[in-house]
Amino acid sequence: MQESAATGSFWSRREAQASLGKDNGLKPFTTKVFYAAAQGVTAGTAFGAFQMAYYPDRFAYAQKGTVLSGPVRSLNYIKHAVFRPAMIFSAVTVTYAAAESFLSEIKGTTSKDPWNSAFAGAAAGMVLGGFLTRRFDIATTSAIGTGLIMGLIDFNGPNIICDPDTKQARCFPAKVSTVFEESEELKNLKEKYPAFKQN
């Protein structure tokens, strides 16, 4: 009974925060998985298409190393060049979205949590390493690295790329003078080049 009350308070708080526009990007599980799968399929298809365009002539080799007649242009080649990356990318993105949503609902958090991203990134890295290599040691190191990266990205947010406060201060200054004021650099340049002093 106490668990159901806690679950109800979690969902009620999430709905209240979402109505105020403070849901911090939290979406229902089905919506997150659907968007993650769509993004994964799109990225995997694009990657496979670029790979197929870059290596268009895939020759088939016999067991003794002799080249068979003509390049492989069948559905088998398209399956390996396009469908396989799309499947791998979608599996990784769906794993990350499902793990993050599962952890957030278990912990009852209504805001972004770097620990959720770290553990979800570890699960996605394990799937990625397992798909590509099928070796447990490489999948484990891939899980650790991906988990660290995703946790740090979620912890730092946009500050990993730029300082939002400084950028906003540069784009929108606190005061704007009505009369044009020359900067010190411009004054020095005009002193250095007197011919352009009246410009």
Side-chain angles (χ1 to χ4, degrees):
M1 186 71 181
Q2 186 176 0
E3 184 179 355
S4 64
T7 306
S9 63
F10 167 66
W11 284 107
S12 62
R13 184 178 176 190
R14 173 184 278 188
E15 291 175 1
Q17 294 291 322
S19 64
L20 295 174
K22 299 179 181 179
D23 55 345
N24 293 317
L26 287 176
K27 299 179 179 64
F29 175 76
T30 53
T31 306
K32 290 178 71 173
V33 169
F34 173 75
Y35 283 126
Q39 291 172 357
V41 168
T42 303
T45 304
F47 176 81
F50 286 131
Q51 186 179 17
M52 188 171 61
Y54 195 72
Y55 300 104
D57 296 326
R58 299 291 297 272
F59 290 95
Y61 292 91
Q63 293 182 358
K64 294 184 180 181
T66 58
V67 181
L68 297 178
S69 60
V72 179
R73 294 286 189 173
S74 61
L75 289 177
N76 191 24
Y77 169 60
I78 296 177
K79 179 182 73 174
H80 286 290
V82 179
F83 294 160
R84 188 171 185 270
M87 181 182 66
I88 293 173
F89 277 58
S90 62
V92 171
T93 54
V94 166
T95 301
Y96 179 82
E100 188 185 24
S101 181
F102 178 73
L103 290 172
S104 65
E105 292 183 11
I106 281 184
K107 294 169 66 176
T109 55
T110 56
S111 60
K112 288 285 186 179
D113 190 356
W115 287 108
N116 293 348
S117 296
F119 289 122
M126 180 70 77
V127 171
L128 179 62
F131 259 117
L132 295 180
T133 63
R134 297 182 182 179
R135 288 180 52 182
F136 182 75
D137 54 346
I138 296 179
T140 304
T141 54
S142 175
I144 294 172
T146 309
L148 286 174
I149 290 173
M150 296 308 297
L152 289 174
I153 288 176
D154 201 350
F155 178 76
N156 291 318
N159 293 327
I160 196 171
I161 300 174
C162 64
D163 185 6
D165 297 331
T166 306
K167 184 177 180 181
Q168 186 173 5
R170 288 178 180 175
C171 296
F172 303 99
K175 61 176 183 177
V176 179
S177 59
T178 56
V179 181
F180 176 73
E181 297 179 358
E182 293 184 349
S183 62
E184 292 296 328
E185 292 83 0
L186 183 58
K187 290 179 182 178
N188 295 334
L189 284 173
K190 286 189 175 182
E191 292 295 332
K192 189 175 181 180
Y193 302 101
F196 300 94
K197 203 166 186 178
Q198 300 300 326
N199 291 349

